[in-house]
């Protein structure tokens, strides 16, 4: 259909491969709160925990929508059992990084989206098994503040932490 093609072209323009679209069960909606948005399901321990919606049409506000519920990390690359976690803000950022560094997973590097700039207690629990955490947040005010806050909290939790400067 027309809207299927529009949504698919949007995903391709964002750099997603067909493999990523299938693997991450990415679709689109034409009804309800996620209408005219690609929809990215967020799973945790095999259960659907939320949805991220991104508008694929012009001037639909807000461009991003997250479903209601407890926020978990969105895994875009890796197994979720690695020793190094790479954190970015959004799901498309995570998918782009994971697509570019797909081979890193074999070295125990997992790529996650925080789905914002602050971590919930459940997200901290998800990071507990990692020896080292990297962040690569946006270079805006919120991203810089989040990087600093994350560094302080990592130190308090005695975690090895680095960030990508932008």
């Amino acid at each position: 259909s027309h809207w299927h093609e529009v949504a698919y072209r949007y995903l391709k323009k964002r750099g997603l491969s067909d493999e990523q679209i299938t693997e991450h069960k990415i679709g689109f909606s034409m009804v309800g709160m996620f209408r005219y948005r690609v929809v990215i399901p967020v799973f945790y321990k095999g259960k659907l925990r939320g949805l991220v919606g991104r508008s694929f049409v012009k001037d639909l506000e807000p461009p991003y929508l997250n479903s209601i519920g407890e926020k978990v990390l969105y895994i875009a690359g890796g197994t979720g059992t690695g020793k190094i976690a790479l954190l970015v803000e959004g799901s498309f950022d995570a998918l782009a990084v994971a697509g570019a560094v797909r081979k890193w997973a074999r070295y125990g590097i997992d790529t996650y989206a925080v789905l914002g700039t602050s971590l919930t207690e459940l997200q901290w629990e998800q990071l507990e098994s990692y020896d080292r955490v990297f962040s690569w947040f946006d270079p805006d005010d919120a991203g810089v503040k989040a990087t600093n806050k994350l560094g302080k909290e990592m130190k308090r939790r005695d975690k090895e932490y680095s960030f990508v400067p932008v």
Side-chain angles (χ1 to χ4, degrees):
S1 77
H2 167 74
W3 291 112
H4 180 271
E5 279 301 312
V6 172
Y8 180 74
R9 279 194 312 268
Y10 176 81
L11 291 170
K12 297 307 277 186
K13 184 178 87 178
R14 294 295 303 255
L16 272 66
S17 68
D18 288 343
E19 182 181 58
Q20 284 177 306
I21 294 167
T22 301
E23 178 184 339
H24 293 279
K25 299 173 176 45
I26 298 170
F28 72 100
S29 178
M30 295 304 297
V31 297
M33 73 180 277
F34 289 102
R35 69 185 170 281
Y36 299 107
R37 287 178 166 79
V38 294
V39 179
I40 301 172
V42 180
F43 294 95
Y44 177 60
K45 293 186 176 180
K47 292 186 178 184
L48 180 65
R49 296 301 292 263
L51 301 170
V52 175
R54 176 59 166 99
S55 169
F56 59 82
V57 296
K58 191 175 181 178
D59 299 326
L60 182 62
E61 293 294 331
Y64 279 100
L65 279 179
N66 291 328
S67 61
I68 298 170
E70 191 166 25
K71 189 170 78 163
V72 297
L73 295 174
Y74 172 72
I75 187 161
T79 62
T81 60
K83 290 299 173 191
I84 299 171
L86 173 60
L87 306 178
V88 297
E89 289 182 35
S91 52
F92 278 104
D93 297 333
L95 288 163
V97 170
V101 296
R102 197 162 187 85
K103 294 178 184 173
W104 284 5
R106 78 174 94 161
Y107 301 109
I109 300 173
D110 297 329
T111 306
Y112 289 100
V114 173
L115 304 177
T117 56
S118 62
L119 277 78
T120 65
E121 198 52 46
L122 180 55
Q123 288 173 316
W124 280 109
E125 288 175 26
Q126 286 180 266
L127 294 174
E128 194 60 40
S129 65
Y130 290 93
D131 296 332
R132 184 170 197 161
V133 177
F134 287 86
S135 70
W136 189 356
F137 290 157
D138 294 347
D140 57 14
D141 191 49
V144 171
K145 285 179 182 174
T147 298
N148 290 330
K149 184 177 178 182
L150 186 60
K152 290 175 185 172
E153 185 62 19
M154 288 289 178
K155 184 175 183 176
R156 188 185 79 70
R157 293 176 184 250
D158 202 28
K159 288 280 187 186
E160 198 172 330
Y161 174 66
S162 299
F163 62 93
V164 177
V166 285

